[in-house]
Amino acid sequence: MEVVFSKCNLAIEYANKTKTFGCFYSEKNDPNETIHLHECCEILFCLSGGKSFFIDERIYDVDDGDIFVLNQFEAHKITTDCDKDFKRCIMQINPAFIYEMSTRETDLANCFNIRGNNISHKLPTSTEERNKLLHIFRKMTIDYGYGDDILKNIAAIEFITHVNILFSEKNKGYTYHMNYENSSIVTAIKYINENLHKDVSLENVAKVCYISVNELCRLFRKHMGITVAKYVASRRITLAKKLLKEGYKVSDIAEKCGFMDYTSFIRAFKKIVGMPPGQYKKTMNIDQTHDITH
């Protein structure tokens, strides 16, 4: 049973198809450059090369050995140090697997579901903790022969369990703080997210943040690794994907996501997702006879 793949999207596809989990390991500096979310919960184990990690309306500095936990509703994007190899282990977990493997005494969904100002997505690790988790992760790469599926499921449960233990320990006394630069970006992100249905201009975003347009653009490139325009486009497509999954008509989504017309929406969606929205909707197994209309 192969559960460790060469590409992250293959791990996601396997996890969703089997309602279990899929893993990904890479040393290539080729992260997903768009703001994205997917149907899986995610554990990102950053071994080296990470720079900053954007999750919803937070920005974290990334240090070697950091673990990040995300649920299926949290849009995210990581930027990397171009001078280093980006070494990371990623586990994509279908929520059904998490709930099935949880017990009355042990809720494996805790690290994915518990959120708030006193909760961090980022879990720093010591050398001992790092080595322990790497040892468990490697168990999922072995071909055991007899009992292969059982042993890999056990390794996956062990990995998720230890991440939950770290989540509980590292969040004791935690409070999220932002520096000046991150605070400006978060203000910009919040404004953009709340106005995706409008014509979002650089001037309006900068005005809300009390900074110049040039400063706004500089901060985005430094901390997000993309331009403001690309961020807006990514968020609009992320929202469009969410609405498609909820059953909205393709023709209604363009306006809700701030596109000037239907054609520009189709073009932008296909460019980022790789397929037109109608085809994407079919892959989500949505019954199109039950579209939501408003």
Side-chain angles (χ1 to χ4, degrees):
M1 182 178 81
E2 183 183 5
V3 297
V4 180
F5 300 90
S6 59
K7 295 182 178 180
C8 194
N9 66 308
L10 295 178
I12 294 171
E13 289 174 8
Y14 182 82
N16 288 331
K17 181 179 179 180
T18 61
K19 296 294 187 290
T20 57
F21 63 93
C23 300
F24 166 64
Y25 174 79
S26 179
E27 297 183 2
K28 296 180 180 179
N29 201 327
D30 58 350
N32 190 331
E33 294 184 352
T34 64
I35 312 296
H36 60 280
L37 47 73
H38 31 69
E39 297 75 28
C40 292
C41 295
E42 178 177 322
I43 298 173
L44 168 63
F45 190 3
C46 185
L47 302 175
S48 70
K51 185 177 179 182
S52 60
F53 202 1
F54 160 76
I55 304 174
D56 272 348
E57 294 181 355
R58 291 191 184 186
I59 299 173
Y60 297 94
D61 293 329
V62 182
D63 299 308
D64 292 354
D66 282 347
I67 288 175
F68 291 89
V69 288
L70 306 94
N71 62 45
Q72 67 271 40
F73 307 109
E74 293 174 316
H76 54 281
K77 178 191 181 302
I78 193 164
T79 59
T80 61
D81 186 338
C82 59
D83 296 325
K84 292 183 179 180
D85 292 332
F86 181 33
K87 297 181 182 180
R88 73 273 197 196
C89 304
I90 296 177
M91 190 175 192
Q92 302 286 356
I93 316 155
N94 188 282
F97 181 80
I98 298 171
Y99 298 129
E100 183 179 349
M101 297 302 162
S102 295
T103 67
R104 289 185 177 181
E105 291 77 25
T106 306
D107 184 2
L108 295 177
N110 277 343
C111 66
F112 306 107
N113 290 345
I114 298 176
R115 293 293 181 263
N117 291 332
N118 61 334
I119 296 297
S120 176
H121 299 86
K122 172 180 172 176
L123 312 175
T125 62
S126 65
T127 300
E128 182 180 355
E129 291 166 340
R130 197 176 312 173
N131 290 337
K132 186 173 187 176
L133 285 167
L134 279 173
H135 175 69
I136 299 171
F137 188 88
R138 291 190 183 105
K139 291 181 182 180
M140 290 180 275
T141 68
I142 300 171
D143 183 358
Y144 294 98
Y146 179 78
D148 183 69
D149 57 338
I150 294 175
L151 292 171
K152 284 176 178 171
N153 281 342
I154 290 172
I157 296 168
E158 186 179 8
F159 190 81
I160 300 169
T161 299
H162 279 283
V163 169
N164 268 281
I165 292 171
L166 286 175
F167 179 81
S168 177
E169 292 176 349
K170 305 296 181 181
N171 274 297
K172 291 177 180 177
Y174 173 83
T175 303
Y176 180 66
H177 295 288
M178 293 181 290
N179 59 33
Y180 159 73
E181 292 191 347
N182 285 356
S183 178
S184 296
I185 296 176
V186 168
T187 300
I189 287 170
K190 185 176 181 180
Y191 173 81
I192 292 169
N193 291 349
E194 292 175 351
N195 292 277
L196 285 173
H197 59 292
K198 300 179 181 178
D199 182 16
V200 180
S201 69
L202 284 173
E203 289 75 16
N204 285 341
V205 178
K207 184 177 180 181
V208 169
C209 300
Y210 298 101
I211 56 178
S212 68
V213 169
N214 287 339
E215 178 69 358
L216 173 68
C217 294
R218 183 190 72 80
L219 292 177
F220 256 77
R221 290 193 187 96
K222 177 181 177 181
H223 294 281
M224 301 290 288
I226 55 175
T227 64
V228 178
K230 283 188 176 180
Y231 173 79
V232 173
S234 294
R235 285 300 296 184
R236 282 175 170 160
I237 296 303
T238 298
L239 175 59
K241 290 168 70 176
K242 179 177 180 293
L243 295 176
L244 285 168
K245 292 173 188 176
E246 292 176 357
Y248 283 84
K249 291 181 180 180
V250 175
S251 57
D252 292 338
I253 293 176
E255 183 179 353
K256 289 180 178 295
C257 296
F259 290 93
M260 298 299 292
D261 55 66
Y262 182 75
T263 302
S264 61
F265 167 57
I266 300 296
R267 187 186 303 115
F269 192 97
K270 187 175 181 180
K271 181 179 180 181
I272 292 177
V273 181
M275 65 180 75
Q279 182 180 345
Y280 177 83
K281 186 173 184 178
K282 290 178 181 178
T283 66
M284 295 298 103
N285 296 316
I286 296 174
D287 182 357
Q288 300 200 38
T289 63
H290 290 84
D291 286 323
I292 299 174
T293 56
H294 295 276

